[in-house]
Amino acid sequence: MSPVYPFDDAATARAVIDDRGTLLEWNAGARRLLGWNATDILGRSAVTMLAGGDKALPFARGADRWYGMITLCHRDGSAVSVWVLAHHTPPNGDRPGRWLVVTPLDGDAPPSPDDPLERAELLQSPCAIAIYDERLRLRRMNDAMAEELGLPQERLRGLRMPEINGRPQSVDIEQHLHRVLTTGRGYDVHSYVPIGADGRGYAWLARMAPITDDSGRVRGVCLASHDFTEQHLARERLQIVNEASVRIGTTLDVVTTAQELADMCVPALGDFVTVDLLDPQEYGGEPPADVTAPVRLLRVAHRSLLPGTPEAVAEPGQADLYPASSPQGASLTAGRTIIASTASRDLEQWLAWSPTRAERVRELGIHATMSVPIRARGLTLGVAVLTRYRRSGPFTADDVLLAEEITARAGVCIDNARRYSRERETALALQRSLLPRTLPRTAALLAASRYLPAARAGVGGDWFDVIPLSGMRVAMVVGDVVGHGIQASATMGRLRTAVRTLADIDLAPDELLTHLDDLVLRLAEESGGDASTGEVGATCLYAVYDPVSRRCTLARAGHPAPVLLLPGRAPRQIDLPAGPPLGLGGLPFESAELDLPQGSVLSLYTNGLLESRDRDAETGHRLLNEALAGYAGSLEETCDRILRALLPQGGSADDVALLLARTQGLPASQVATWDIPADPALVAPIRKQVGRQLEQWSLSELAFTAELVVSELVTNAIRYGARPIRLRLIQNAATLICEVSDTSHTAPHLRRAKTFDEGGRGLLLVAQLTQRWGSRHTAEGKTIWAELELYQEDQ
């Protein structure tokens, strides 16, 4: 916490300690207090500074703030008892949590009777007032300010604002104090600061005025804080209700709407929110008007302040039984909102019935729950349960009104989505079966996808795919079949299968689209006799990314060009030859290559994402770029943000497929390459080099098999291939890949040698020793590859 002004930093002893207890910072004031230099003390365990044999820091016990007396060891061996104030900053990203520990050193100096700061009157006012000197260190404050801070006045004299409060907002306030001190002009600022001992947030109007001596010289700053928390909270509640009307019900999907309800309530009302719905099938297909306990509920959505949702006992999609003693059961059977807390012991019977939940309550310090029934049109749909553990305050009557208002809006949206989904489920079953359920995890890239069917046109022919290829490469596909309905979905399924088949033989993107064009022509001929289906057509984008070279080859057939987000750059559309749509026949396709640094994000999509009745394509591209520019590490969140930014609340008029892929480069240390002389006598030295490389990779146990496979592949290339010949080994977490390339276009084939044949067993041996093997054609010739599965101990 560096000062924003050139004043004495030694007036406060200050240290920073991480959550592991290691000393990270040690200022001049700390050296003045205990005699230790920063070079002597940094990196050591803070426990070693405790006197009296204490084994733990008294403030590292879970609270956000601690203050009290503590005995420390001076460098000369003496014990020093001091009052300290410790503030905890939670972990943020890769940075672990840490403690700021301070104690004032000059706060007890006797005041001068002529000091204007001492003559300044602190009136007995409900307004909190504090006076800071020329170094912006606290000189005095009234009882109202001490009460708001929850700290004794006599202990705080001599501390700066950030040292007293320990939160980021206090640094901003100190900068405003410095502005008043240097300009001599007053300043007002509105701030929402968690300032009290309970960590509760307060809205303040901070009025700052200079304090001058008889000569007019500025000697300090008076800070008067006016609490307008209630007015702030009232405006905030109104804003939440307005926001809920926009954020909840953006789609006619039950799960999405339930998740929007949970997202809306965190952190506005609770630290953890669950949305559980009744299964209508248990009630004859329609939700009931009244519910009796025990009741079976399906977890549809939940949201937490904590990553990984550690509070959850049930995961989305999981059903559980809730007795009458549970918040869910009590609220549903009573038909009204129920508030329960650990202080009132309302949860004891429920927690005794569910030991797993009782353990989570103890671990996280959960102290209050609010259960709100979700109802619509006289039917009971489910319940939303809001839980608090980070904010210490209980649920208030205003919280109940706000939660019921939000839940009522969500209930209508959920019921609309439920009715709509029931009608569409049969029609969408085929579409779901034809799209990939999950995307494969590859070392080349991380991918996330979204598919949204048309809002009213029914099922369509949009699809996407991620296909692992040889050599750790991966193919990305997005396509769009013309039209809607079962015929479009069936055509999409055939094209997707054809793309995967063509990808398996490692065709270049432009060649693959040429073969796919022929298939669409044949499909159009087959459907030509049926006038109702019309002409078959489609668009497609096919891209292949190689994590070793970090190059991507793309080709498209009448499909929108992808948008690329390079690290540290703005999103841009890739300049890629358009190519004709599939089904025209006889027209060429062109491919393009580009280098993709690690961490590049490719956005592949169908035209339903950009096209809308309300805007042109240029506006759609601008919105897509803006949404993609907000990428902050999560592909899933970016997918959701893109859909929210570009799709109307009622859904798109066309199908939408979106595929985001973040590239990952393979480190050079995991790739080894050799140029092979066309001399069979040099195969043995190559085998030795391979053995040494495997030893460097700690894969010695695989050396015999790998050397044998390399020997066969290299020998075949020398005998039947053409120069230059190159051997490449690629290591990843699961496999060792051996590749031999040459400039001959003759493809190898596996055959069974006869008893007295002198050759012909090489590829058969490779096939027996490896997990997979194959060949692919390149612009320069061909590559024969083989994958060896690593032994468990090598992984």
Side-chain angles (χ1 to χ4, degrees):
M1 186 182 299
S2 301
V4 296
Y5 44 83
F7 297 151
D8 180 19
D9 188 43
T12 301
R14 184 173 63 249
V16 176
I17 305 169
D18 66 16
D19 282 345
R20 295 183 295 270
T22 304
L23 281 160
L24 303 179
E25 295 182 21
W26 187 264
N27 79 335
R31 176 172 57 83
R32 173 184 166 191
L33 176 66
L34 297 177
W36 297 95
N37 292 319
T39 55
D40 301 328
I41 205 72
L42 293 183
R44 289 175 51 179
S45 172
V47 176
T48 61
M49 301 302 299
L50 299 177
D54 291 340
K55 301 300 183 182
L57 299 171
F59 48 79
R61 295 172 182 168
D64 289 338
R65 187 178 75 176
W66 182 92
Y67 61 89
M69 298 299 297
I70 188 171
T71 305
L72 303 173
C73 294
H74 195 277
R75 185 171 186 175
D76 62 12
S78 62
V80 180
S81 294
V82 294
W83 183 91
V84 300
L85 173 61
H87 303 282
H88 185 256
T89 301
N92 183 11
D94 296 333
R95 194 192 76 177
R98 52 183 59 191
W99 286 90
L100 168 66
V101 184
V102 298
T103 186
L105 299 181
D106 297 341
D108 295 331
S112 169
D114 298 329
D115 192 339
L117 302 182
E118 295 298 330
R119 298 201 307 267
E121 294 294 336
L122 299 182
L123 301 178
Q124 294 180 350
S125 167
C127 177
I129 300 175
I131 293 177
Y132 291 84
D133 63 17
E134 291 177 288
R135 300 177 303 165
L136 293 186
R137 296 187 176 274
L138 180 68
R139 177 65 64 86
R140 301 172 62 197
M141 65 180 176
N142 67 354
D143 293 339
M145 179 65 80
E147 182 179 352
E148 294 296 347
L149 292 175
L151 293 167
Q153 176 185 185
E154 62 274 9
R155 294 294 187 182
L156 300 181
R157 291 193 184 97
L159 292 181
R160 290 166 46 206
M161 170 71 77
E163 296 167 341
I164 295 173
N165 187 261
R167 294 183 171 90
Q169 299 92 334
S170 58
V171 176
D172 297 333
I173 295 177
E174 185 181 62
Q175 290 176 341
H176 296 310
L177 291 173
H178 183 245
R179 173 180 176 179
V180 174
L181 184 69
T182 55
T183 64
R185 294 191 297 270
Y187 188 75
D188 294 347
V189 61
H190 289 81
S191 181
Y192 189 69
V193 183
I195 196 172
D198 58 357
R200 179 189 169 196
Y202 292 83
W204 297 92
L205 169 60
R207 313 203 74 169
M208 308 172 199
I211 299 176
T212 59
D213 57 18
D214 295 338
S215 64
R217 174 189 170 193
V218 178
R219 300 294 300 277
V221 182
C222 177
L223 169 66
S225 298
H226 304 271
D227 186 358
F228 63 102
T229 304
E230 291 304 320
Q231 297 88 333
H232 175 84
L233 293 178
R235 290 196 300 269
E236 193 176 62
R237 285 191 292 268
L238 181 59
Q239 181 180 353
I240 291 173
V241 171
N242 292 335
E243 187 178 355
S245 65
V246 176
R247 289 177 53 183
I248 299 177
T250 59
T251 67
L252 286 171
D253 179 74
V254 173
V255 174
T256 301
T257 306
Q259 188 62 57
E260 289 168 347
L261 170 60
D263 294 344
M264 188 69 237
C265 294
V266 177
L269 282 168
D271 303 324
F272 174 57
V273 174
T274 63
V275 179
D276 299 280
L277 300 182
L278 296 165
D279 184 358
Q281 301 305 319
E282 295 188 7
Y283 301 91
E286 273 296 300
D290 300 308
V291 177
T292 57
V295 57
R296 183 173 297 278
L297 296 170
L298 178 69
R299 175 64 49 82
V300 179
H302 56 214
R303 176 66 183 270
S304 170
L305 285 175
L306 302 176
T309 321
E311 312 93 331
V313 174
E315 295 297 325
Q318 179 180 344
D320 207 347
L321 191 66
Y322 296 87
S325 60
S326 66
Q328 293 88 339
S331 177
L332 288 174
T333 54
R336 58 182 175 84
T337 300
I338 298 292
I339 294 179
S341 65
T342 54
S344 60
R345 310 182 72 175
D346 300 323
L347 296 172
E348 284 190 354
Q349 188 176 357
W350 163 233
L351 297 180
W353 188 86
S354 178
T356 303
R357 288 181 171 85
E359 182 180 353
R360 300 288 171 85
V361 167
R362 288 191 296 269
E363 288 177 353
L364 297 168
I366 294 173
H367 62 85
T369 64
M370 176 168 57
S371 305
V372 186
I374 303 174
R375 296 177 60 86
R377 301 179 179 91
L379 301 177
T380 301
L381 304 178
V383 62
V385 179
L386 295 78
T387 302
R388 285 183 176 177
Y389 51 87
R390 277 200 170 179
R391 56 170 91 179
S392 58
F395 288 104
T396 65
D398 289 335
D399 292 333
V400 172
L401 292 176
L402 180 59
E404 289 178 343
E405 175 69 20
I406 295 175
T407 305
R409 294 172 181 263
V412 174
C413 296
I414 289 174
D415 190 52
N416 289 339
R418 179 188 64 83
R419 294 168 183 265
Y420 178 74
S421 299
R422 182 180 59 184
E423 299 300 326
R424 300 189 70 209
E425 192 61 35
T426 301
L428 292 175
L430 175 61
Q431 186 77 1
R432 294 193 191 101
S433 67
L434 295 175
L435 290 172
R437 295 180 180 271
T438 59
L439 298 177
R441 298 177 62 89
T442 69
L445 53 82
L446 297 176
S449 62
R450 293 292 186 273
Y451 172 79
L452 292 179
R456 296 177 179 83
V459 295
D462 291 14
W463 91 93
F464 58 87
D465 215 342
V466 175
I467 308 170
L469 303 176
S470 63
M472 295 184 64
R473 298 170 305 128
V474 64
M476 295 160 281
V477 192
V478 173
D480 184 1
V481 175
V482 173
H484 294 89
I486 299 297
Q487 181 65 34
S489 294
T491 302
M492 177 270 286
R494 298 177 71 173
L495 292 184
R496 178 175 177 241
T497 301
V499 170
R500 295 189 70 91
T501 301
L502 295 171
D504 283 342
I505 59 176
D506 271 317
L507 290 179
D510 53 344
E511 294 182 27
L512 183 142
L513 292 180
T514 300
H515 286 277
L516 203 61
D517 185 43
D518 294 337
L519 174 60
V520 174
L521 282 172
R522 290 197 298 270
L523 294 178
E525 292 174 0
E526 292 175 6
S527 63
D530 186 358
S532 63
T533 59
E535 184 179 358
V536 176
T539 65
C540 184
L541 171 69
Y542 185 79
V544 176
Y545 173 68
D546 186 345
V548 178
S549 65
R550 303 187 183 183
R551 292 187 65 79
C552 185
T553 306
L554 310 93
R556 59 176 174 146
H559 200 85
V563 174
L564 173 63
L565 176 63
L566 294 175
R569 304 282 293 277
R572 64 175 178 87
Q573 193 171 25
I574 297 176
D575 186 11
L576 184 64
L582 299 173
L584 296 182
L587 298 175
F589 299 96
E590 298 180 62
S591 61
E593 287 191 356
L594 64 156
D595 294 318
L596 296 183
Q598 181 165 322
S600 301
V601 177
L602 272 172
S603 175
L604 289 69
Y605 50 89
T606 55
N607 57 9
L609 183 67
L610 301 182
E611 295 181 357
S612 171
R613 299 185 183 94
D614 303 326
R615 63 169 184 263
D616 54 23
E618 182 178 351
T619 303
H621 278 293
R622 179 179 58 80
L623 293 175
L624 174 60
N625 288 346
E626 290 175 356
L628 192 60
Y631 169 74
S634 172
L635 295 176
E636 298 292 342
E637 292 179 2
T638 306
C639 281
D640 293 335
R641 182 169 55 253
I642 290 174
L643 295 184
R644 287 195 301 267
L646 279 87
L647 299 186
Q649 292 186 14
S652 173
D654 195 5
D655 287 18
V656 173
L658 172 65
L659 178 65
L660 294 186
R662 182 174 69 240
T663 62
Q664 301 182 130
L666 196 68
S669 59
Q670 293 180 233
V671 181
T673 306
W674 296 273
D675 291 323
I676 307 299
D679 185 354
L682 298 179
V683 173
I686 293 298
R687 293 181 57 166
K688 291 182 180 179
Q689 294 181 39
V690 169
R692 287 193 295 269
Q693 183 62 58
L694 294 181
E695 184 177 355
Q696 292 180 15
W697 285 342
S698 300
L699 298 176
S700 298
E701 300 224 2
L702 203 63
F704 177 78
T705 305
E707 290 177 15
L708 190 56
V709 170
V710 167
S711 177
E712 295 296 337
L713 295 181
V714 170
T715 300
N716 270 359
I718 293 174
R719 288 180 177 176
Y720 308 112
R723 300 180 185 178
I725 302 170
R726 176 167 294 179
L727 167 64
R728 184 170 72 170
L729 298 184
I730 306 172
Q731 174 219 0
N732 61 30
T735 59
L736 175 69
I737 303 172
C738 305
E739 296 184 344
V740 176
S741 304
D742 65 78
T743 55
S744 170
H745 291 276
T746 303
H749 63 278
L750 187 67
R751 67 184 181 88
R752 188 172 298 279
K754 298 179 181 179
T755 305
F756 297 104
D757 286 351
E758 295 183 2
R761 298 178 177 83
L763 291 181
L764 180 62
L765 183 62
V766 170
Q768 296 296 318
L769 294 176
T770 60
Q771 183 181 2
R772 295 193 311 153
W773 79 279
S775 64
R776 63 176 181 267
H777 289 281
T778 65
E780 297 79 17
K782 68 175 181 299
T783 297
I784 313 298
W785 56 268
E787 292 184 3
L788 286 78
E789 185 176 9
L790 302 185
Y791 295 108
Q792 188 66 35
E793 55 267 26
D794 292 327
Q795 298 184 34

